[in-house]
Amino acid sequence: MTNYVVRGIDKTKSFRFFGANTTKLVDEATTKHQTSPVVSAALGRTLTGVAMMGQMNKNITDRVSILIKGDGPIGGIIVEANGFGDVKGYAYNPNVDIPLNEQGKLDVRNAIGNAVMTVSKDIGLREPYVGQIAMLSGEIAEDLTDYFAISEQTNSVVALGVLIDKDLSIKQSGGIIIQVLPDAQDEAITELESKLKTFTSLTNYLENNQCIEQIIEDLLGDVELMSKTDIRFKCDCSTERMERALISLGKQELTTIVEDDQEDLELVCHFCNEKYQFDKNDIGNILHTL
Ligand code: ZN
């Protein structure tokens, strides 16, 4: 089953929307990082949100990332995506176990703690565009709504849902972003608002195996699909990149590593847990190029 992001507008041209099915992508990420359930939920929601934001940029090579830094046990989450549909991400501490919240749900808010969310968009300029907000909710979807309102002056509805199975695999994962367009009709906004009153949580819909497109049509009526992009968990790390990381340590540090009686050097990519080994010969060769 492939994962995807759909993009489109409603018939009254009042809203644009993004919808994502991310079950496999989130399952792969949480398996690679061996996350506990509350981290799977937090990381999965962030991956789903950023996967959709990756389709909002003008150019396919543009990149968007979200950094969440909090004082809760997770510590932080970093997720990055591009227009091709490649999404990668990790949590600082993948293994957090805290009690369920008052509603009997995974307590993402307290796992993250008091936090700041930073959204960076690299659209090929010298400096990326950066927007930052304090996370008042901590449940991620509401915080993204705040981000769009404050940093992009766009009214949005954001819903993110990650359902975890008994064996800790991801049963369902998906998300919706609906944004009000400048020429939105008042009646269309009123109608959506009234429908949202009975919209409980996206997780409930996913639990009933409703597909994302259907949930969007339930909210917006007839829609026009403009694109459907396959998405996947994919990291762009490589031996060359890791060599560049080694070079950034500097000549002195690398010389110390070669001269010290240490074992081989192992670098691990945070985003995907891929391991890269460098023995003293490799490091010596890198030193020669400096
Ligand atoms: Zn990697």
Side-chain angles (χ1 to χ4, degrees):
M1 189 184 62
T2 55
N3 286 170
Y4 57 84
V5 172
V6 288
R7 186 173 65 92
I9 52 172
D10 78 310
K11 231 171 65 183
T12 69
K13 298 189 168 43
S14 297
F15 311 102
R16 71 168 184 169
F17 67 82
F18 299 83
N21 179 328
T22 56
T23 307
K24 190 166 169 253
L25 189 160
V26 172
D27 190 52
E28 193 169 337
T30 53
T31 304
K32 270 188 200 299
H33 294 301
Q34 298 185 6
T35 48
S36 61
V38 71
V39 182
S40 296
L43 179 61
R45 290 179 198 173
T46 314
L47 286 163
T48 303
V50 176
M52 288 187 280
M53 292 168 77
Q55 300 303 317
M56 289 182 181
N57 294 329
K58 270 208 177 75
N59 299 308
I60 201 161
T61 49
D62 294 347
R63 314 177 72 86
V64 58
S65 69
I66 284 186
L67 163 65
I68 292 171
K69 269 192 112 171
D71 62 5
I74 291 183
I77 292 174
I78 298 181
V79 172
E80 195 182 303
N82 60 25
F84 296 103
D86 301 331
V87 188
K88 61 178 183 177
Y90 68 96
Y92 293 3
N93 181 5
N95 194 10
V96 171
D97 190 14
I98 57 170
L100 298 176
N101 65 20
E102 283 166 4
Q103 289 84 43
K105 308 253 191 228
L106 293 167
D107 197 348
V108 170
R109 175 201 303 258
N110 280 313
I112 289 175
N114 295 311
V116 170
M117 177 187 272
T118 307
V119 177
S120 302
K121 290 183 177 178
D122 179 358
I123 56 170
L125 304 174
R126 268 221 336 232
E127 298 287 329
Y129 163 85
V130 178
Q132 200 171 60
I133 56 148
M135 295 179 72
L136 300 181
S137 153
E139 297 285 347
I140 299 167
E142 292 85 341
D143 304 300
L144 272 178
T145 304
D146 288 347
Y147 162 76
F148 287 123
I150 295 165
S151 290
E152 301 195 3
Q153 289 82 47
T154 306
N155 286 325
S156 312
V157 177
V158 182
L160 305 167
V162 177
L163 267 175
I164 296 160
D165 225 332
K166 286 194 186 74
D167 65 359
L168 302 188
S169 69
I170 303 301
K171 201 169 167 188
Q172 293 278 2
S173 176
I176 292 172
I177 298 175
I178 296 171
Q179 298 190 310
V180 181
L181 292 171
D183 294 327
Q185 296 174 8
D186 289 342
E187 311 87 78
I189 294 178
T190 312
E191 198 178 328
L192 176 62
E193 278 171 349
S194 86
K195 280 183 180 165
L196 286 170
K197 282 187 187 130
T198 55
F199 186 87
T200 47
S201 80
L202 186 64
T203 324
N204 288 346
Y205 290 82
L206 295 174
E207 193 134 43
N208 294 324
N209 284 318
Q210 281 212 44
C211 78
I212 284 293
E213 291 93 323
Q214 187 58 55
I215 302 169
I216 290 170
E217 283 193 6
D218 285 350
L219 288 169
L220 296 181
D222 284 343
V223 297
E224 187 186 331
L225 272 192
M226 295 164 82
S227 69
K228 183 172 182 174
T229 309
D230 286 348
I231 55 169
R232 64 209 71 81
F233 185 92
K234 189 177 170 197
C235 189
D236 50 359
C237 63
S238 63
T239 307
E240 291 72 34
R241 275 193 172 219
M242 288 300 173
E243 278 176 6
R244 285 206 292 275
L246 277 179
I247 289 167
S248 71
L249 290 176
K251 214 167 182 172
Q252 202 176 357
E253 182 76 26
L254 289 176
T255 310
T256 316
I257 293 171
V258 175
E259 285 170 358
D260 274 5
D261 206 19
Q262 299 189 31
E263 311 228 323
D264 292 351
L265 203 62
E266 184 180 85
L267 296 189
V268 181
C269 172
H270 287 304
F271 280 102
C272 69
N273 267 349
E274 182 80 26
K275 294 175 174 63
Y276 293 86
Q277 314 277 351
F278 294 91
D279 62 24
K280 286 187 176 174
N281 260 336
D282 299 329
I283 298 168
N285 287 338
I286 290 170
L287 263 174
H288 277 300
T289 67
L290 296 181

